[in-house]
Amino acid sequence: MENAIRDLQNPLLSWNPESASALILNRSKPYNLYINPIDSNSQQIKNLSSLPFYPLSMKPHLQRLAIVGEDQLLVISIDTDTEWKLIRFNGKILDYHWHPLSESALAVLTPDMILRIYDVLVSIREPEIEWRIPIDILSSNNGEPVSFCFLQEKEKSLSRFSCIVLMSNGDLYVISPAIPRKFSVLKEFTNFEKIMKIQNNSYSLYEPSSEQWVNEITNNILLVSQNLRKAYISLPNFVYQNYIAVPQGPISFYEKNISSDERSLEYDEIFCLSSFNPIVFLLKQVSGSLVLLVGFGDINISFSSRDSNLNLSVFEQIKFEGQNGVIRISDDDKIYYLCNNSLYQISLPWLSQLKESCILGRVSKDIKHSVVKEINKNLPGSSLAIIHHRIRYNYALISLEQEIRKIDLKLIREKGEFFNLDLNELEINLPKESLSEPINIPPPPAVDVNLPDITNEEQELAALTLVVDKLYEKCVLPLSKKAEFLKTKVDDCKEWFNKLKNSASFIKADSAIKLFNSIQGLEEKMKNVERNSEILKEKIDRILQKQNRVNLPLSSAERDLAMKVTQLEKMTNSLKTIAKTKLLELKAEKAALKKLNQNISLNPRLENQINELKHKCSKIAENIKKYETDNQ
């Protein structure tokens, strides 16, 4: 990666977790894309010199990369040169996202109030589906669409089929289901009736289309999913077009007592931090400040025009100053905000408390607030990527004007974040001397003082003063220095002990829950391995049976067929030999006739007969040549 960091002009940065690669796009011609796997020193450079627009942002998904300009979007393949698909729009591209349940679906929001989904594998000329936000554009109270986000959550909630569109005035619109025609979900998620029962949803009571749509989903699971962990679903076109969601809203989170000044604030970006119990959205204002919205319940699927029952309220407002800030959400649910030439880390300790309250059915006391830490200053950056991979790698890449700054995020930790205690990661500044080495304090040295003969009190006082000075210099001073050193060691030991004690006392309950979930996931994987082993055993048995059938002796009918094939080969070879002989004879006759024609002047009738004979000979030669070619 070091080679890609040098001599770049304001590059774009992105992180592809599927391939564990950092992507760097130089924004000066020629546009080069640097692909840097973090587990190796190899670097792949992809030349994009024919890129027809100035790139503003990029988002990877599996082995594809979407690059966006002002009104154009390009989809390329990261690992090959086979894919290059350009989409042009009549207006500005406001926001775009890859669909989390699909390998090739890309959603784009434009100022004409339409959210479109394209399947880049099928067609980029026409969208697969589009939703129009039902607002009165002539009304001054309504805002304009600025951003959207898909909801995705590990819980068994139908919210994962939903999408939220943000308007500039802070209003939200829900689109559910917002899915492409082909998508995939985990197999345990396909029991929709159980999901509805668990979440206490009653869609079928007030909207029969929801139940019909769930049945269509279940009936169109592909057979290839039987031996896979995911259920792959492909809806027929007529089904897909019959069940089109109607956007619900607007949803406003403003309370009655909020001033008109706060209502007039403009928003420009939305992120989903949690999509079920609680539902949490992060909104960024044009001024740079952040707003955290919280709601409880589930987002209802709807195929009819009605108001949404989703209730949201402002949980927290975090004041920042500075426009055009860049937000990234890491895999460990931390928010990183590059704003006003500084990089901030925002932790959400209250999120796990609210989730625990929903699971236990009781309200937690002493709900914490978000923790904001300023990581670094003097960073006039324009692009940000958070590299978070397998705990080994956790750092930020920030694009400056002519360089990329790398900031280690492992050193930025709050108390209580240590589940597996590692003494090397504790922030303890100990002196260079090791605590494990014994401290040997030598005995005070002997003080040799040659006293003169004392004849009066003045000489005695002078001698005693000399002795005290030498004792202080050789004994008292070294002992006092050792005492100070010992006191420093003791203080360091106390500090180390307190940090260990605090770290041990702050092991979170949700870490234990995660461990329990990991054990359950491991059990499911072991069951899948056992099922795959049985399938593999059956395949091996079938191959062995086929192999045994190959080694069996031939039947009488098979022997007769083999003899006939052998006879046919012999006849073919004999015909080829005869044909070659006849061809040589005809060539000789043709040469003799040609020579005769040159030396003898024939009458017209005889000449016509010779020409006919020559024509027939040429036809015969062509047929023989064709036969010879077919039998080679």
Side-chain angles (χ1 to χ4, degrees):
M1 185 183 294
E2 298 299 329
N3 296 331
I5 291 178
R6 303 190 188 99
D7 302 326
L8 299 180
Q9 298 295 322
N10 196 18
L12 289 176
L13 306 174
S14 188
W15 162 243
N16 188 2
E18 284 81 6
S19 62
S21 301
L23 305 179
I24 303 173
L25 177 60
N26 190 18
R27 288 202 280 185
S28 61
K29 292 187 175 181
Y31 302 118
N32 286 330
L33 176 66
Y34 299 88
I35 305 167
N36 303 276
I38 60 172
D39 285 328
S40 67
N41 295 325
S42 62
Q43 182 188 82
Q44 180 185 352
I45 302 177
K46 198 178 185 71
N47 186 281
L48 303 179
S49 57
S50 55
L51 186 66
F53 55 82
Y54 181 76
L56 298 178
S57 67
M58 63 179 181
K59 292 179 181 178
H61 180 59
L62 301 177
Q63 291 304 318
R64 290 184 177 84
L65 178 67
I67 305 174
V68 164
E70 185 73 16
D71 57 357
Q72 299 181 71
L73 186 148
L74 178 69
V75 177
I76 65 171
S77 174
I78 297 177
D79 54 349
T80 66
D81 296 326
T82 56
E83 196 169 4
W84 183 284
K85 297 180 179 179
L86 182 67
I87 309 175
R88 290 185 173 89
F89 297 89
N90 293 327
K92 180 182 178 182
I93 298 174
L94 299 176
D95 201 0
Y96 67 105
H97 292 285
W98 292 98
H99 200 287
L101 301 181
S102 172
E103 297 179 357
S104 58
L106 182 65
V108 182
L109 179 65
T110 50
D112 55 2
M113 313 289 178
I114 296 178
L115 176 66
R116 301 172 175 88
I117 285 187
Y118 295 85
D119 189 342
V120 298
L121 284 180
V122 178
S123 173
I124 58 172
R125 295 183 179 179
E126 295 293 333
E128 192 172 69
I129 194 170
E130 55 184 40
W131 297 275
R132 183 178 294 276
I133 309 301
I135 65 172
D136 184 7
I137 59 176
L138 300 178
S139 174
S140 59
N141 296 328
N142 291 318
E144 299 176 349
V146 290
S147 180
F148 74 98
C149 66
F150 290 109
L151 277 66
Q152 47 183 322
E153 183 76 24
K154 296 177 182 178
E155 298 288 344
K156 292 183 179 180
S157 165
L158 294 179
S159 298
R160 66 168 54 197
F161 293 121
S162 306
C163 170
I164 303 291
V165 179
L166 171 68
M167 313 302 288
S168 59
N169 64 348
D171 286 344
L172 303 175
Y173 282 85
V174 180
I175 303 175
S176 182
I179 56 172
R181 194 169 69 84
K182 297 178 182 179
F183 62 96
S184 63
V185 292
L186 294 177
K187 273 190 176 178
E188 58 264 28
F189 185 72
T190 54
N191 192 351
F192 297 105
E193 294 180 0
K194 186 176 180 182
I195 293 169
M196 289 182 179
K197 186 176 180 182
I198 290 175
Q199 312 303 348
N200 295 322
N201 292 326
S202 55
Y203 300 122
S204 58
L205 295 181
Y206 58 83
E207 194 169 348
S209 298
S210 298
E211 186 177 12
Q212 297 167 9
W213 178 79
V214 165
N215 292 333
E216 293 289 355
I217 294 291
T218 308
N219 295 332
N220 285 283
I221 297 176
L222 300 179
L223 293 176
V224 72
S225 306
Q226 291 180 354
N227 299 326
L228 300 175
R229 192 170 64 93
K230 286 187 175 181
Y232 288 85
I233 300 161
S234 178
L235 297 176
N237 279 324
F238 69 91
V239 173
Y240 190 59
Q241 296 300 327
N242 287 341
Y243 296 94
I244 297 179
V246 177
Q248 307 167 50
I251 304 168
S252 179
F253 52 85
Y254 290 115
E255 298 177 0
K256 294 181 180 179
N257 56 356
I258 289 184
S259 64
S260 58
D261 292 337
E262 287 191 77
R263 289 177 182 269
S264 63
L265 293 174
E266 290 191 358
Y267 297 81
D268 62 358
E269 203 165 3
I270 183 172
F271 299 87
C272 178
L273 304 179
S274 174
S275 64
F276 180 72
N277 279 351
I279 296 173
V280 181
F281 295 116
L282 171 67
L283 273 58
K284 185 170 79 71
Q285 296 176 341
V286 175
S287 62
S289 295
L290 304 180
V291 178
L292 287 160
L293 306 180
V294 173
F296 293 89
D298 201 356
I299 294 178
N300 298 321
I301 292 174
S302 179
F303 301 98
S304 61
S305 179
R306 61 183 181 81
D307 292 335
S308 173
N309 64 350
L310 176 63
N311 295 316
L312 294 170
S313 58
V314 176
F315 178 82
E316 210 169 29
Q317 287 182 293
I318 307 175
K319 297 291 185 181
F320 288 97
E321 293 183 358
Q323 298 184 355
N324 302 321
V326 181
I327 295 177
R328 294 292 180 265
I329 313 296
S330 66
D331 293 339
D332 55 350
D333 297 327
K334 285 186 173 59
I335 303 168
Y336 292 90
Y337 190 21
L338 183 61
C339 176
N340 198 21
N341 296 339
S342 295
L343 178 63
Y344 299 91
Q345 181 194 73
I346 305 172
S347 304
L348 310 176
W350 50 268
L351 182 55
S352 59
Q353 287 183 300
L354 294 182
K355 283 188 176 293
E356 185 179 354
S357 298
C358 293
I359 295 172
L360 299 178
R362 63 190 182 196
V363 180
S364 297
K365 297 180 180 179
D366 301 327
I367 297 294
K368 300 178 182 178
H369 292 281
S370 301
V371 179
V372 181
K373 290 189 77 173
E374 187 177 31
I375 298 175
N376 212 315
K377 299 179 180 180
N378 301 322
L379 295 172
S382 59
S383 185
L384 171 66
I386 303 299
I387 313 299
H388 186 86
H389 182 60
R390 295 177 184 173
I391 306 177
R392 293 174 54 196
Y393 302 98
N394 191 15
Y395 57 88
L397 293 180
I398 299 176
S399 171
L400 305 181
E401 187 174 353
Q402 291 185 340
E403 66 170 323
I404 296 176
R405 187 78 55 84
K406 180 178 177 181
I407 299 175
D408 193 351
L409 301 177
K410 282 187 177 181
L411 303 178
I412 304 159
R413 290 195 164 182
E414 298 290 334
K415 290 182 179 179
E417 293 187 9
F418 302 100
F419 181 65
N420 295 318
L421 295 179
D422 187 352
L423 300 183
N424 296 323
E425 293 185 359
L426 294 177
E427 297 177 22
I428 301 174
N429 297 319
L430 295 176
K432 293 182 179 180
E433 291 82 2
S434 174
L435 289 174
S436 59
E437 296 178 0
I439 303 173
N440 297 319
I441 302 176
V447 181
D448 297 328
V449 181
N450 296 320
L451 296 177
D453 294 333
I454 298 173
T455 58
N456 54 38
E457 291 182 356
E458 292 182 356
Q459 290 178 352
E460 184 179 7
L461 180 61
L464 290 173
T465 303
L466 178 63
V467 171
V468 169
D469 289 341
K470 288 194 174 184
L471 281 172
Y472 181 80
E473 180 182 352
K474 292 190 176 183
C475 295
V476 176
L477 273 180
L479 286 174
S480 63
K481 290 181 180 179
K482 290 294 182 180
E484 290 178 2
F485 173 70
L486 283 174
K487 184 177 180 299
T488 304
K489 291 286 187 180
V490 171
D491 292 339
D492 290 337
C493 286
K494 287 181 179 179
E495 184 180 0
W496 194 350
F497 175 78
N498 289 332
K499 289 196 174 185
L500 286 174
K501 183 179 177 182
N502 292 335
S503 298
S505 63
F506 274 104
I507 296 176
K508 296 180 181 178
D510 62 336
S511 300
I513 295 174
K514 289 179 181 177
L515 180 61
F516 178 72
N517 293 335
S518 300
I519 294 172
Q520 285 188 326
L522 184 60
E523 290 177 351
E524 290 293 329
K525 288 183 179 178
M526 292 188 67
K527 291 179 182 178
N528 291 334
V529 169
E530 290 176 359
R531 287 194 291 267
N532 291 335
S533 300
E534 292 176 0
I535 295 170
L536 186 61
K537 185 177 181 299
E538 291 177 1
K539 290 183 178 180
I540 292 173
D541 290 340
R542 288 197 294 269
I543 292 171
L544 291 175
Q545 290 174 5
K546 290 181 180 179
Q547 187 175 2
N548 293 333
R549 284 199 297 269
V550 169
N551 297 329
L552 291 175
L554 297 176
S555 63
S556 59
E558 290 173 340
R559 284 196 297 270
D560 293 340
L561 181 60
M563 290 178 61
K564 290 180 181 179
V565 171
T566 305
Q567 291 176 0
L568 184 60
E569 289 180 353
K570 290 181 179 179
M571 291 175 64
T572 303
N573 293 332
S574 176
L575 285 173
K576 286 173 65 177
T577 305
I578 294 171
K580 287 182 180 178
T581 305
K582 291 296 182 182
L583 181 62
L584 293 174
E585 292 177 358
L586 286 172
K587 285 182 178 179
E589 292 293 335
K590 183 179 178 181
L593 286 172
K594 187 176 181 180
K595 185 176 182 182
L596 182 64
N597 187 31
Q598 291 176 353
N599 297 331
I600 303 173
S601 176
L602 302 175
N603 58 46
R605 183 178 178 184
L606 183 59
E607 188 172 0
N608 288 336
Q609 292 178 353
I610 291 172
N611 289 335
E612 289 178 1
L613 184 61
K614 287 168 65 178
H615 182 69
K616 290 180 181 179
C617 290
S618 63
K619 286 286 186 182
I620 292 170
E622 289 177 1
N623 291 334
I624 292 172
K625 188 174 183 182
K626 182 179 179 182
Y627 175 80
E628 193 176 29
T629 304
D630 293 340
N631 285 277
Q632 282 182 351

